[in-house]
Amino acid sequence: MNITVLGAGAWGTALAISLAAKNQVLLWGRNQIAMESAQIERENQHYLPGFRLPDSLKATADFHAALRHALDSNDGEGLLIIASSVSGLRPILKQCAAYPLRNVVWLCKGFEENTRLLPHQVVRQELGEQVLAGALSGPSFAQEVAQGLPCALTIASHSPELCRLVVTAAHNPSLRVYSSDDVIGVEVGGAVKNILAIATGVADGLGLGLNARAALMTRGLAEISRLCTALGGRLETLMGLTGVGDLILTCTGNLSRNRKVGLALAEGKSLETIIQELGHVAEGVRCAQAVKALAFELNIDMPITEAVAGVLFENVASRDMIERLLSRNAKIESN
């Protein structure tokens, strides 16, 4: 199958490497010099150094060629995967709108900052209803996927046809792919867990212990659940890979960018410094403000999200954030 991955960051590159095991994959990136280097040196030296690009994986900065590759599949079932950040999703979709696309998948997790829309809503606005579209999500660190270590993901789409296509294309001995029709549940779980990873990073950075981490994750899952059901998602989805699974990995794994943001905040570093040092997008940063505003609009109680947004954008000290959460009045746990 012909597959184009738009976005040559760490995750886009790692997934492209995995998909190239049994597909003809073209990886597109904006930086022509970087893509020419990746094609010649067989390595994405900037975003995923140390991992060889398979021979069946090609790299290019030619956007038209990248789109044509997905459209010209011999079996008629080409696949376009957008591996941008949430903020970069709409600009890429606007470029894609001129092409007769059929099968489109995105990897980003979050809410669009200004509109507070989920990715599937942005896709529908820009590409309409004619394309088969879905979110590929789940607990996954790019380095481990590129290394070929075991990983499980979920493709969420209202199209059974697209789900079957993605499972066929991506499923291999080290990557297991499940399917779901709960696009909202999958996207909300993937978005809000990044905010919670910042919170657990702060708590761990302050040395508050494993009990505090477990409490933040558990109460954070309650926040995800409230938002998920309010938006029309299903609670059972949050018990799976894109809910509890992704939450556990992102809050506890040291490869997590969002967890690293929290750890650095606990050290007293400014957000600007943290982002510069990180060198990658941490989706939880942009997502925090959008989710806080959405929770207010929907009258949903999300105190951890609100506290994280306070630290990121309102100069609230990390330790004050934790104290505010701990000083809240006791309540029934199921609420």
Side-chain angles (χ1 to χ4, degrees):
M1 183 187 302
N2 278 17
I3 300 176
T4 292
V5 178
L6 294 180
W11 181 216
T13 303
L15 185 61
I17 290 172
S18 179
L19 293 170
K22 60 177 184 180
N23 302 282
Q24 297 299 312
V25 182
L26 185 61
L27 177 65
W28 173 85
R30 298 181 185 280
N31 189 317
Q32 183 170 347
I33 294 175
M35 290 299 95
E36 289 176 352
S37 173
Q39 178 65 24
I40 296 169
E41 302 296 333
R42 311 310 301 157
E43 181 181 337
N44 186 342
Q45 295 176 343
H46 184 68
Y47 284 110
L48 197 65
F51 295 95
R52 188 181 187 282
L53 304 184
D55 293 338
S56 57
L57 172 57
K58 309 302 180 185
T60 185
D62 186 331
F63 189 83
H64 178 72
L67 268 291
R68 290 311 313 174
H69 178 78
L71 292 169
D72 294 340
S73 188
N74 291 331
D75 55 12
E77 292 290 1
L79 179 63
L80 180 70
I81 299 177
I82 302 176
S84 70
S85 63
V86 173
S87 63
L89 179 61
R90 192 182 294 273
I92 285 183
L93 290 171
K94 287 185 179 297
Q95 289 182 270
C96 292
Y99 296 83
L101 299 171
R102 174 171 172 77
N103 305 304
V104 178
V105 169
W106 54 92
L107 308 180
C108 54
K109 302 173 182 179
F111 287 80
E112 193 173 45
E113 194 169 10
N114 295 326
T115 65
R116 301 195 287 278
L117 295 177
L118 285 164
H120 79 273
Q121 296 171 305
V122 177
V123 172
R124 287 306 179 200
Q125 282 188 352
E126 296 299 333
L127 298 185
E129 300 292 332
Q130 73 276 11
V131 301
L132 304 184
L136 185 61
S137 189
S140 49
F141 286 145
Q143 294 92 327
E144 292 192 358
V145 171
Q147 194 176 343
L149 295 176
C151 178
L153 301 174
T154 297
I155 173 65
S157 175
H158 297 302
S159 166
E161 182 182 345
L162 180 69
C163 288
R164 286 193 296 270
L165 181 72
V166 174
V167 170
T168 299
H171 205 82
N172 63 48
S174 62
L175 183 61
R176 186 171 182 85
V177 183
Y178 295 83
S179 61
S180 171
D181 63 356
D182 184 12
V183 179
I184 292 174
V186 165
E187 289 194 322
V188 171
V192 184
K193 59 88 184 176
N194 285 328
I195 303 170
L196 302 174
I198 295 175
T200 55
V202 169
D204 287 349
L206 294 174
L208 300 184
L210 300 178
N211 294 339
R213 181 200 289 177
L216 278 170
M217 291 171 62
T218 307
R219 295 310 302 165
L221 182 60
E223 293 193 14
I224 298 175
S225 300
R226 288 193 285 268
L227 183 60
C228 177
T229 54
L231 293 176
R234 301 196 299 266
L235 282 179
E236 59 263 31
T237 301
L238 302 181
M239 297 301 107
L241 291 168
T242 59
V244 172
D246 215 353
L247 178 67
I248 292 171
L249 182 72
T250 312
C251 288
T252 65
N254 288 330
L255 292 175
S256 166
R257 299 172 190 172
N258 293 283
R259 174 174 163 76
K260 289 178 181 177
V261 170
L263 290 168
L265 287 170
E267 294 178 10
K269 293 183 179 180
S270 69
L271 181 58
E272 181 180 5
T273 298
I274 294 169
I275 292 174
Q276 288 177 347
E277 291 179 351
L278 199 59
H280 295 265
V281 173
E283 291 280 24
V285 174
R286 288 183 176 272
C287 191
Q289 284 283 65
V291 173
K292 176 186 173 182
L294 189 59
F296 179 80
E297 181 181 305
L298 298 173
N299 195 28
I300 298 171
D301 189 29
M302 299 187 72
I304 301 174
T305 298
E306 184 176 345
V308 170
V311 172
L312 291 172
F313 302 108
E314 299 165 21
N315 297 317
V316 176
S318 298
R319 191 168 293 278
D320 290 343
M321 176 195 92
I322 298 296
E323 289 178 356
R324 288 184 188 183
L325 290 172
L326 292 176
S327 65
R328 285 170 52 84
N329 292 332
K331 58 187 294 186
I332 298 173
E333 185 185 13
S334 59
N335 290 344

